Amino acid sequence: MLNKKVKSIILAAGKGTRMKSEMPKVLHSIFNKPLLGYVLDAVNNINCTDESFVIVGHEAEKVENFVKSYCDNAKCILQSPQLGTGDAVNKAAPYLKDFDGYVIVVCGDTPLITSETIQDFVLFHDNNHADLTVMSAIFENPKNYGRIIRDKNKKFIAIVEEKDATPEQKAVKEINAGIYCINWKTVSDAFNNLQNNNAQGEYYLTDIVKWAVEKNLTVQSYILENNEEIFGINSKVHLAQATKILNRKSVTRLMEEGVQIVDPDTTFISPETTIGADTLVLPNVYITGKNIIGKNCKIGPFAHIRDGAVIGNNVRIGNFVEVKKSVIKDNTNVSHLSYIGDAELGSKVNIGAGTITANYNPISKVKSKTIIKDGANTGSNSVLVAPVTVNEMASVGAGSVITKDVEAYSLAVTRAPMKILSNWVKRKIEQLSGGNK
Ligand code: UD1
Ligand code: CA
C-alpha cells in the first residue's frame, strides 16, 4: 500500500512533426489502439491512480474525443501555445491545488511503458520518501535525450537537454526517460519558478530537478533496466519498430503459455489477445484488439481476427477468413474464405468456403447480428443477410442468399433450380462448324 494518492499527467500537446501526418502523433495506432491508449492503460492499471490529466494542444479536439471515448477518469487540459514540457505540467496545477499526493508525469508517445514498471517506480519513490524521482536509463547512443547530471559524489543534481549540453555532458550515457514521480506538495512551487532562457526558449520540466536540489529536497533517479519500455515514437519508422517490439512480447508470452506459433516473424497478435494451450497459429495471421481464443484451435494461415472475438476450443479459423466481434463456440469450423462479423456461431457448426455474414447496411448504417445455432451448416458461397438466424442442425444450400430465419433441421436454398440441356455444347459446335463450311 502506498502512503499517498496518485494522479497522473500525460503530456500530449506536441505536434509530432516527424510523423508527417495530419493526425496528431498520440492518435497513431499499434494494433488498432492509439499510442495514448497504451499510456492511459499503463497509468490506470497500477490501481492507485484515481485521476489523469491529459495535456492537449495540437489537434486538441481530436485527442480529447479519443480520451473521452476511452476512459472516464481522464480530463483533458488545453495548452496553447505549447511553451515546453514544464509549461504543459503547469497547466494542470489549478486542478491540483492542495493535492497532498504523488503526481506521475508520462509522455503520451511512449506506448511500451508497462504498468508493472510504473507501479515499481512509484513504490520506489514512496519507500524512499522522495520528493522527486526521475526515471532514467542507460543508452549506448544517448543522442537527443536529456542527460542525468551527477556531482563528484554521484549525487543526481540536474538534467541537461542535448541542445544545452557541453561536450562533457553529452558523453553521459544515463538519460532522462521522461517519466517523473512528484510529491506535489513539496515540489509544485518549482513550476512557478521555471525560466525559458535555454537553447529552445522553452519552459523545461527537467529544470525542476535543479530547483528541488537547491531546496535540499530528496531527489533520486530510478534506473530502468529494460530501456525498450521508454521508447518514444517520433516517426512512422519508430511506429513500426514499436509494433515489432510489442508483437514479439505478445507472441513470446503466448508461446510460453503453450500456444504453438509456427513463425513469430510473420504472426501479429495484439497484447490483449489470450489464446489457450495447444492452439496452433500458422504464418501470416493478424490479430488486433481484444480477443479470447480457446485451446486446441487452428488459426490461419492468413487469417484476420479484428477485435472482440470470443472463440471456444477445437475451433478452426482457416485461410483468408476474417472474424470480427463474434462468438464462435467449441468444435466449429470456419475453414476458408469467409467473413464472420457480428455473429454468434454455436458448437459443431460448419461454415462452408466463401460464406459471408452480411452484417452492414450501408444506407441505414446499421450493423445487425447473424446467429447460427449448434450443428448447423452453410454451403459454400452463401450470404447470410443479417439480422438472421439459422437454427439448430439447419442447412443452407451452397450459393444461397438467406434473408429469413431458417428452421431447425431444415434446408434453405435460394438458387434457381438446376437445368440440364443435353448435348447443348455438341449442338453449338455443330452449328459453328456448319457455319464455317
Ligand atoms: C523530453 C525531455 C528529455 C527527455 C525526453 C524523453 C524536456 C525538456 N526534455 O525531451 O530530457 O530525455 O523527453 O523522451 O522535458 N509536450 C507538450 N507541450 C509542450 C511540449 C511538449 O505537451 O509544450 C509533450 C509532447 O507532446 C511529448 C512530450 O511532451 O509527448 C515530450 O516533448 P518532446 O518535445 O518530445 O520532448 P523531448 O525533446 O523528447
Ligand atoms: Ca520526445
Coordinates of all heavy atoms in Angstrom, one line a residue, residues 180-231:
Y180 N 8.3 10.9 -14.5 CA 8.6 11.6 -13.2 C 7.6 11.2 -12.2 O 6.4 11.0 -12.5 CB 8.6 13.1 -13.3 CG 9.3 13.6 -14.6 CD1 8.7 13.5 -15.8 CD2 10.6 14.1 -14.5 CE1 9.4 14.0 -17.0 CE2 11.3 14.6 -15.6 CZ 10.7 14.5 -16.8 OH 11.4 15.0 -17.9
C181 N 8.0 11.1 -10.9 CA 7.0 11.0 -9.8 C 7.3 12.2 -8.9 O 8.4 12.3 -8.4 CB 7.2 9.6 -9.1 SG 5.9 9.4 -7.8
I182 N 6.3 13.0 -8.7 CA 6.5 14.2 -8.0 C 5.6 14.3 -6.7 O 4.4 14.0 -6.8 CB 6.0 15.4 -8.9 CG1 6.9 15.4 -10.2 CG2 6.1 16.7 -8.2 CD1 6.3 16.4 -11.3
N183 N 6.3 14.6 -5.6 CA 5.5 14.8 -4.4 C 4.9 16.2 -4.5 O 5.7 17.2 -4.4 CB 6.4 14.7 -3.2 CG 5.6 14.7 -1.9 OD1 4.4 15.1 -1.9 ND2 6.3 14.5 -0.8
W184 N 3.7 16.3 -4.9 CA 3.1 17.6 -5.4 C 3.3 18.7 -4.3 O 3.6 19.8 -4.7 CB 1.7 17.4 -5.8 CG 1.2 18.6 -6.6 CD1 0.3 19.5 -6.2 CD2 1.7 18.9 -7.9 NE1 0.2 20.5 -7.2 CE2 1.0 20.1 -8.3 CE3 2.6 18.4 -8.9 CZ2 1.2 20.7 -9.5 CZ3 2.7 19.0 -10.1 CH2 2.0 20.2 -10.4
K185 N 3.0 18.4 -3.1 CA 3.0 19.4 -2.1 C 4.4 20.1 -2.0 O 4.5 21.3 -1.8 CB 2.7 18.8 -0.7 CG 1.9 19.7 0.2 CD 1.3 19.0 1.3 CE 0.6 20.0 2.3 NZ 0.1 19.3 3.4
T186 N 5.5 19.3 -2.0 CA 6.8 19.9 -1.8 C 7.4 20.5 -3.1 O 8.3 21.3 -3.0 CB 7.8 18.9 -1.2 OG1 7.8 17.7 -2.0 CG2 7.3 18.5 0.2
V187 N 7.0 20.0 -4.2 CA 7.7 20.3 -5.5 C 6.9 21.3 -6.4 O 7.5 21.9 -7.3 CB 8.1 19.0 -6.2 CG1 8.9 19.4 -7.5 CG2 9.0 18.2 -5.4
S188 N 5.6 21.4 -6.2 CA 4.8 22.1 -7.2 C 5.2 23.5 -7.4 O 5.0 24.1 -8.5 CB 3.3 22.0 -6.8 OG 3.1 22.6 -5.6
D189 N 5.8 24.1 -6.3 CA 6.2 25.5 -6.4 C 7.3 25.7 -7.5 O 7.4 26.8 -8.1 CB 6.7 26.0 -5.1 CG 6.6 27.5 -4.9 OD1 5.7 28.1 -5.6 OD2 7.5 28.1 -4.2
A190 N 8.0 24.6 -7.8 CA 9.0 24.7 -8.9 C 8.5 25.2 -10.2 O 9.1 25.9 -10.9 CB 9.6 23.3 -9.1
F191 N 7.2 24.9 -10.5 CA 6.6 25.2 -11.7 C 6.4 26.8 -11.9 O 6.2 27.3 -12.9 CB 5.3 24.4 -12.0 CG 5.6 23.0 -12.2 CD1 5.6 22.1 -11.1 CD2 6.0 22.5 -13.4 CE1 5.9 20.8 -11.3 CE2 6.4 21.2 -13.6 CZ 6.3 20.3 -12.6
N192 N 6.3 27.4 -10.7 CA 6.1 28.9 -10.8 C 7.5 29.6 -10.9 O 7.5 30.8 -11.1 CB 5.5 29.4 -9.5 CG 4.1 28.7 -9.3 OD1 3.4 28.6 -10.2 ND2 3.8 28.3 -8.1
N193 N 8.5 28.8 -10.9 CA 9.9 29.4 -11.0 C 10.7 29.0 -12.2 O 11.9 29.2 -12.3 CB 10.7 29.0 -9.7 CG 10.1 29.7 -8.5 OD1 10.2 30.9 -8.3 ND2 9.3 29.0 -7.7
L194 N 10.0 28.3 -13.2 CA 10.8 27.9 -14.4 C 11.1 29.1 -15.2 O 10.4 30.1 -15.3 CB 9.9 26.9 -15.2 CG 9.6 25.6 -14.5 CD1 8.7 24.8 -15.5 CD2 10.9 24.8 -14.2
Q195 N 12.3 29.0 -15.9 CA 12.7 30.0 -16.8 C 12.9 29.4 -18.2 O 13.1 28.2 -18.3 CB 14.1 30.5 -16.4 CG 14.2 31.0 -15.0 CD 13.6 32.4 -14.8 OE1 13.7 33.2 -15.6 NE2 12.8 32.5 -13.7
N196 N 12.8 30.3 -19.2 CA 13.0 29.7 -20.6 C 14.2 30.2 -21.3 O 14.3 30.2 -22.5 CB 11.7 30.0 -21.4 CG 11.5 31.5 -21.7 OD1 12.2 32.3 -21.1 ND2 10.6 31.8 -22.6
N197 N 15.2 30.5 -20.4 CA 16.5 31.0 -21.0 C 17.4 29.8 -21.4 O 18.4 29.6 -20.8 CB 17.2 32.0 -20.1 CG 17.3 31.5 -18.7 OD1 16.7 30.4 -18.4 ND2 18.2 32.1 -17.9
N198 N 16.9 29.0 -22.4 CA 17.7 27.9 -22.8 C 17.7 27.8 -24.3 O 17.1 28.7 -25.0 CB 17.1 26.6 -22.2 CG 15.6 26.5 -22.4 OD1 15.2 26.7 -23.6 ND2 14.9 26.3 -21.4
A199 N 18.4 26.8 -24.9 CA 18.6 26.8 -26.3 C 17.3 26.7 -27.1 O 17.2 27.2 -28.2 CB 19.4 25.5 -26.7
Q200 N 16.2 26.2 -26.5 CA 15.0 26.0 -27.2 C 13.9 27.1 -26.8 O 12.8 27.1 -27.4 CB 14.4 24.6 -27.0 CG 15.3 23.5 -27.4 CD 14.7 22.1 -27.3 OE1 14.0 21.7 -28.2 NE2 15.0 21.4 -26.3
G201 N 14.3 28.0 -25.9 CA 13.4 29.0 -25.4 C 12.1 28.4 -24.8 O 11.0 29.0 -25.0
E202 N 12.2 27.3 -24.2 CA 11.0 26.6 -23.6 C 11.1 26.5 -22.1 O 12.2 26.6 -21.5 CB 10.9 25.2 -24.2 CG 10.6 25.1 -25.7 CD 10.4 23.7 -26.1 OE1 10.6 22.7 -25.3 OE2 10.1 23.5 -27.3
Y203 N 10.0 26.3 -21.5 CA 9.9 26.0 -20.1 C 10.1 24.5 -19.9 O 9.2 23.8 -20.2 CB 8.6 26.5 -19.5 CG 8.5 28.0 -19.5 CD1 7.9 28.6 -20.6 CD2 9.1 28.9 -18.6 CE1 7.8 30.0 -20.7 CE2 9.0 30.2 -18.7 CZ 8.4 30.8 -19.7 OH 8.3 32.2 -19.8
Y204 N 11.3 24.1 -19.4 CA 11.6 22.7 -19.3 C 11.1 22.1 -18.0 O 11.4 22.6 -16.9 CB 13.1 22.5 -19.3 CG 13.9 22.8 -20.6 CD1 15.3 22.9 -20.6 CD2 13.2 22.8 -21.9 CE1 16.0 23.1 -21.7 CE2 14.0 23.0 -23.0 CZ 15.4 23.2 -22.9 OH 16.1 23.4 -24.1
L205 N 10.4 21.0 -18.1 CA 10.0 20.2 -16.9 C 11.3 19.7 -16.2 O 11.3 19.6 -15.0 CB 9.1 19.1 -17.4 CG 8.8 17.9 -16.5 CD1 8.2 18.4 -15.2 CD2 7.9 16.9 -17.1
T206 N 12.3 19.5 -17.0 CA 13.5 18.9 -16.4 C 14.2 19.8 -15.4 O 15.0 19.4 -14.6 CB 14.5 18.6 -17.6 OG1 14.5 19.7 -18.5 CG2 14.0 17.4 -18.3
D207 N 13.9 21.1 -15.5 CA 14.5 22.1 -14.6 C 14.1 22.0 -13.2 O 14.7 22.6 -12.3 CB 14.3 23.5 -15.1 CG 15.2 23.8 -16.3 OD1 16.2 23.0 -16.6 OD2 15.0 24.8 -17.0
I208 N 13.0 21.2 -12.9 CA 12.5 21.1 -11.5 C 13.5 20.3 -10.7 O 13.5 20.4 -9.5 CB 11.1 20.4 -11.4 CG1 11.1 19.0 -11.9 CG2 10.1 21.3 -12.2 CD1 9.8 18.2 -11.7
V209 N 14.4 19.5 -11.4 CA 15.4 18.8 -10.6 C 16.3 19.7 -9.9 O 16.6 19.6 -8.7 CB 16.2 17.8 -11.6 CG1 17.4 17.2 -10.8 CG2 15.3 16.7 -12.2
K210 N 16.9 20.7 -10.7 CA 17.8 21.6 -10.1 C 17.1 22.4 -9.0 O 17.7 22.6 -7.9 CB 18.3 22.6 -11.2 CG 19.6 23.2 -11.0 CD 20.2 23.8 -12.3 CE 21.1 24.9 -12.0 NZ 20.5 26.2 -12.4
W211 N 15.9 22.8 -9.2 CA 15.2 23.6 -8.2 C 15.0 22.8 -6.9 O 15.3 23.3 -5.8 CB 13.8 23.9 -8.8 CG 12.9 24.7 -7.9 CD1 12.8 26.1 -7.9 CD2 12.0 24.2 -6.9 NE1 11.9 26.5 -6.9 CE2 11.4 25.4 -6.3 CE3 11.6 23.0 -6.4 CZ2 10.5 25.2 -5.3 CZ3 10.7 22.9 -5.4 CH2 10.1 24.0 -4.8
A212 N 14.7 21.5 -7.1 CA 14.5 20.7 -5.9 C 15.8 20.4 -5.1 O 15.8 20.4 -3.9 CB 13.8 19.4 -6.3
V213 N 16.9 20.3 -5.9 CA 18.2 20.0 -5.3 C 18.6 21.3 -4.5 O 19.0 21.2 -3.3 CB 19.2 19.7 -6.4 CG1 20.7 19.7 -5.8 CG2 19.0 18.3 -6.9
E214 N 18.4 22.4 -5.1 CA 18.7 23.7 -4.4 C 17.9 23.9 -3.1 O 18.3 24.5 -2.1 CB 18.5 24.9 -5.3 CG 19.6 25.1 -6.2 CD 19.3 26.0 -7.4 OE1 18.2 26.6 -7.4 OE2 20.2 26.1 -8.3
K215 N 16.7 23.3 -3.1 CA 15.8 23.4 -1.9 C 16.1 22.3 -0.9 O 15.3 22.1 0.1 CB 14.3 23.4 -2.3 CG 13.8 24.6 -3.1 CD 13.3 25.6 -2.2 CE 12.8 26.8 -2.8 NZ 13.7 27.7 -3.6
N216 N 17.2 21.5 -1.2 CA 17.5 20.4 -0.3 C 16.4 19.3 -0.2 O 16.3 18.7 0.8 CB 17.9 20.9 1.1 CG 19.3 21.2 1.1 OD1 20.1 20.5 0.5 ND2 19.7 22.3 1.8
L217 N 15.7 19.2 -1.2 CA 14.6 18.1 -1.2 C 15.3 16.8 -1.6 O 16.4 16.8 -2.2 CB 13.5 18.5 -2.2 CG 12.7 19.8 -1.8 CD1 11.7 20.1 -2.8 CD2 12.1 19.6 -0.4
T218 N 14.6 15.7 -1.4 CA 15.1 14.4 -1.8 C 14.8 14.1 -3.3 O 13.7 13.9 -3.6 CB 14.5 13.3 -0.9 OG1 14.6 13.7 0.4 CG2 15.2 12.0 -1.1
V219 N 15.9 14.1 -4.1 CA 15.8 13.9 -5.5 C 16.5 12.6 -5.8 O 17.7 12.4 -5.4 CB 16.3 15.1 -6.3 CG1 16.2 14.9 -7.8 CG2 15.7 16.4 -5.9
Q220 N 15.9 11.7 -6.6 CA 16.6 10.5 -6.9 C 16.3 10.0 -8.4 O 15.3 10.5 -9.0 CB 16.2 9.4 -5.9 CG 14.7 9.2 -5.9 CD 14.2 8.0 -5.1 OE1 15.0 7.4 -4.4 NE2 12.9 7.7 -5.1
S221 N 17.1 9.1 -8.9 CA 16.7 8.6 -10.2 C 16.4 7.1 -10.0 O 17.0 6.4 -9.1 CB 17.8 8.8 -11.2 OG 18.8 7.8 -11.1
Y222 N 15.6 6.6 -10.8 CA 15.2 5.2 -10.8 C 15.7 4.6 -12.2 O 15.2 5.0 -13.2 CB 13.7 5.1 -10.7 CG 13.1 3.7 -11.0 CD1 12.7 2.9 -9.9 CD2 12.8 3.3 -12.3 CE1 12.1 1.7 -10.2 CE2 12.2 2.1 -12.6 CZ 11.8 1.3 -11.5 OH 11.2 0.1 -11.8
I223 N 16.7 3.8 -12.1 CA 17.3 3.3 -13.4 C 16.5 2.1 -13.9 O 16.4 1.1 -13.3 CB 18.8 3.0 -13.2 CG1 19.5 4.2 -12.6 CG2 19.4 2.6 -14.6 CD1 21.0 4.0 -12.4
L224 N 16.0 2.3 -15.1 CA 15.2 1.3 -15.7 C 16.1 0.3 -16.5 O 16.8 0.7 -17.3 CB 14.2 1.9 -16.7 CG 13.2 1.0 -17.4 CD1 12.2 0.4 -16.4 CD2 12.4 1.7 -18.5
E225 N 16.0 -1.0 -16.1 CA 16.8 -2.0 -16.8 C 16.4 -2.2 -18.2 O 17.3 -2.1 -19.1 CB 16.7 -3.3 -16.0 CG 17.2 -3.3 -14.6 CD 18.7 -3.2 -14.5 OE1 19.4 -3.8 -15.4 OE2 19.2 -2.7 -13.5
N226 N 15.1 -2.3 -18.5 CA 14.7 -2.6 -19.8 C 14.4 -1.3 -20.5 O 13.2 -0.8 -20.5 CB 13.4 -3.5 -19.7 CG 12.9 -3.8 -21.1 OD1 13.4 -3.5 -22.1 ND2 11.7 -4.5 -21.1
N227 N 15.4 -0.8 -21.2 CA 15.2 0.6 -21.7 C 14.3 0.6 -23.0 O 13.9 1.7 -23.4 CB 16.5 1.3 -22.0 CG 17.4 0.5 -22.9 OD1 17.0 -0.3 -23.7 ND2 18.7 0.8 -22.8
E228 N 14.0 -0.5 -23.5 CA 13.0 -0.7 -24.6 C 11.7 0.0 -24.2 O 11.0 0.6 -25.0 CB 12.7 -2.1 -24.7 CG 12.3 -2.6 -26.0 CD 12.4 -4.1 -26.1 OE1 11.6 -4.8 -25.4 OE2 13.2 -4.6 -26.8
E229 N 11.3 -0.1 -22.9 CA 10.0 0.4 -22.5 C 9.8 1.9 -22.6 O 8.6 2.4 -22.6 CB 9.8 0.0 -21.0 CG 9.3 -1.4 -20.8 CD 8.8 -1.6 -19.4 OE1 8.2 -0.7 -18.8 OE2 9.0 -2.8 -18.9
I230 N 10.9 2.7 -22.7 CA 10.7 4.1 -22.7 C 10.9 4.6 -24.2 O 11.0 5.8 -24.4 CB 11.6 4.8 -21.8 CG1 13.0 4.3 -22.0 CG2 11.2 4.6 -20.3 CD1 14.0 5.4 -21.8
F231 N 10.9 3.7 -25.1 CA 11.0 4.1 -26.5 C 9.9 5.1 -26.9 O 8.7 4.8 -26.7 CB 10.9 2.8 -27.3 CG 11.1 2.9 -28.8 CD1 12.0 3.8 -29.3 CD2 10.3 2.2 -29.7 CE1 12.2 3.9 -30.7 CE2 10.5 2.3 -31.0 CZ 11.4 3.2 -31.5

